[in-house]
Amino acid sequence: MKVLVTGGAGFIGSHLMRYLLENGYDAVALDNLTVGSRENLLPDMELIEADVLSDRLTGIVAQGRYDAIVHLAAQTMVNTSMDMPRFDAEQNIAGTINVMEAARDANVERVILASTAAAYGDVLETELPIKETHKRAPMSFYGLSKSVAEQYLDMYHKSFGIDYIVLRFANVYGERQGNGGEGGVISIFCNALAGGNDITIFGDGEQTRDFIYAGDIASGIAASLSAKPKAANVAYNLSTQTETSLRELVSVLGNIKGSPIIPKYGPERPGDIYKSMLSNGRAKRGLGWRPMMPLEEGLRRTYEYFKGITD
Ligand SMILES: NC(=O)c1ccc[n+]([C@@H]2O[C@H](COP(=O)([O-])OP(=O)(O)OC[C@H]3O[C@@H](n4cnc5c(N)ncnc54)[C@H](O)[C@@H]3O)[C@@H](O)[C@H]2O)c1
């Protein structure tokens, strides 16, 4: 199967490109390199340097004769979306429409969209883990633009028959993650610790997240590419369905580092969600997928990656 991965030179894209090529897919990355880089990919991986908003996209997709597109390219930062809602909408909504137009023009069979837990917004603790059927009430323009992009895929399916799968990722971590964007607490902590610096927890440290290793996201995307049509045209959460508090995270990082870590504490940040966890039952049943990476091993790989680049 030939697959175009938009945002393929970014953090998750770099894991997906490795996974697809190791598993026999013919994968090509497309990236405008504003955040991603050629170095995130291995030398023999094919990279098309282009913007998803470009008029060239239709020609690129038609020429490549792709069976599927995985659309990861996006504006990924909540803060940026609040500062520049129009920019966020152009990248995440108009960018997705341009991808869908190219898919329509070239008869691409399936498009996979990277969406996010932020599409749900703030959810009561009693409603965790969040199921895909939970109402979407985003609290940021980023969550809103992703949620709207999801609806565009559904409309393209109903109007033009292009199959889609929406994947709402929990907090993704792993090697090559940048310090901005979503779910960056692990990369921020690992980067600081690898450089011998202190880490700061904002709030009491009992806030939780559902941390999932990027390699598990890659296998979930691959499962979506090969899923039967009856499993398509719906949204799936990709998550571990496990809550980990920031205190627990720091304790595991201490084990990895070989010495206890004493974090600093700062004031709670306004707007931060306290507890977060996504249900993954639908993905297990519908895609035959499950996350495989234990947190400690995933953190070890991430820490060693940051140690490697700071040494
Ligand atoms: N990292 C997470 O925890 C997380 C959680 C939920 C959803 N997501 C989603 O997963 C996807 C990938 O995220 P990531 O963490 O790898 O981020 P990333 O910033 O590392 O990757 C995004 C890539 O897209 C590229 N890009 C941005 N705008 C582009 C454009 N207009 N044209 C072409 N390329 C463009 C960037 O250069 C970058 O390489 C995004 O859609 C993001 O919203 C990520």
Side-chain angles (χ1 to χ4, degrees):
M1 184 188 289
K2 190 165 183 198
V3 184
L4 183 69
V5 181
T6 76
F11 158 51
I12 294 173
S14 73
H15 285 264
L16 180 63
M17 288 296 291
R18 283 165 178 74
Y19 188 94
L20 292 179
L21 293 172
E22 279 162 15
N23 286 280
Y25 291 81
D26 181 2
V28 177
L30 180 143
D31 204 295
N32 67 0
L33 302 181
T34 49
V35 175
S37 67
R38 173 76 246 184
E39 290 69 53
N40 278 342
L41 297 175
L42 301 172
D44 58 347
M45 290 179 177
E46 189 178 343
L47 169 67
I48 300 170
E49 195 176 334
D51 197 294
V52 292
L53 283 159
S54 154
D55 292 340
R56 288 168 55 214
L57 192 71
T58 301
I60 291 170
V61 172
Q63 206 185 0
R65 306 174 79 84
Y66 297 98
D67 302 297
I69 299 176
V70 180
H71 183 37
L72 302 176
Q75 187 306 104
T76 66
M77 291 194 244
V78 170
N79 290 348
T80 304
S81 81
M82 300 316 284
D83 292 343
M84 295 189 280
R86 179 181 158 158
F87 172 72
D88 179 77
E90 279 164 359
Q91 297 295 313
N92 294 358
I93 302 176
T96 300
I97 296 172
N98 218 29
V99 167
M100 295 312 291
E101 281 300 300
R104 174 185 172 189
D105 191 72
N107 295 318
V108 174
E109 280 169 35
R110 182 170 294 181
V111 178
I112 314 287
L113 174 71
S115 188
T116 166
Y120 296 113
D122 220 346
V123 170
L124 293 174
E125 282 173 37
T126 52
E127 294 176 314
L128 300 181
I130 309 171
K131 291 208 170 83
E132 290 85 348
T133 47
H134 196 280
K135 73 169 184 311
R136 279 176 282 149
M139 304 280 287
S140 64
F141 289 109
Y142 169 68
L144 178 62
S145 63
K146 285 286 183 173
S147 184
V148 171
E150 291 188 10
Q151 289 176 280
Y152 268 92
L153 262 69
D154 195 56
M155 186 65 81
Y156 270 90
H157 169 67
K158 286 177 180 143
S159 308
F160 309 118
I162 304 171
D163 272 355
Y164 75 87
I165 290 183
V166 163
L167 297 173
R168 298 186 189 131
F169 306 158
N171 291 74
V172 190
Y173 74 94
E175 305 95 312
R176 298 177 292 282
Q177 183 166 29
N179 280 338
E182 278 209 57
V185 63
I186 291 182
S187 66
I188 292 167
F189 283 3
C190 287
N191 198 24
L193 294 170
N197 298 314
D198 287 335
I199 58 172
T200 304
I201 290 179
F202 295 100
D204 63 6
E206 293 304 325
Q207 61 270 54
T208 64
R209 293 291 179 268
D210 181 339
F211 295 111
I212 181 161
Y213 181 66
D216 282 329
I217 294 290
S219 66
I221 294 171
S224 307
L225 286 168
S226 55
K228 300 244 159 62
K230 69 175 186 342
N233 310 313
V234 69
Y236 296 93
N237 294 331
L238 291 186
S239 70
T240 61
Q241 202 177 313
T242 306
E243 280 183 88
T244 303
S245 73
L246 294 193
R247 280 180 196 262
E248 287 172 81
L249 190 67
V250 170
S251 153
V252 179
L253 283 169
N255 295 342
I256 292 166
K257 221 175 142 251
S259 57
I261 298 162
I262 320 256
K264 292 183 170 169
Y265 283 87
E268 193 180 318
R269 284 189 304 194
D272 262 4
I273 294 172
Y274 196 55
K275 304 264 176 186
S276 175
M277 175 174 47
L278 300 185
S279 159
N280 63 15
R282 186 188 273 185
K284 283 180 173 164
R285 289 189 304 275
L287 302 174
W289 164 89
R290 59 188 56 243
M292 302 299 284
M293 179 63 77
L295 182 66
E296 181 151 354
E297 173 58 20
L299 284 178
R300 185 182 305 282
R301 291 186 187 191
T302 310
Y303 175 74
E304 276 164 12
Y305 166 76
F306 282 103
K307 194 91 188 102
I309 57 173
T310 47
D311 278 350

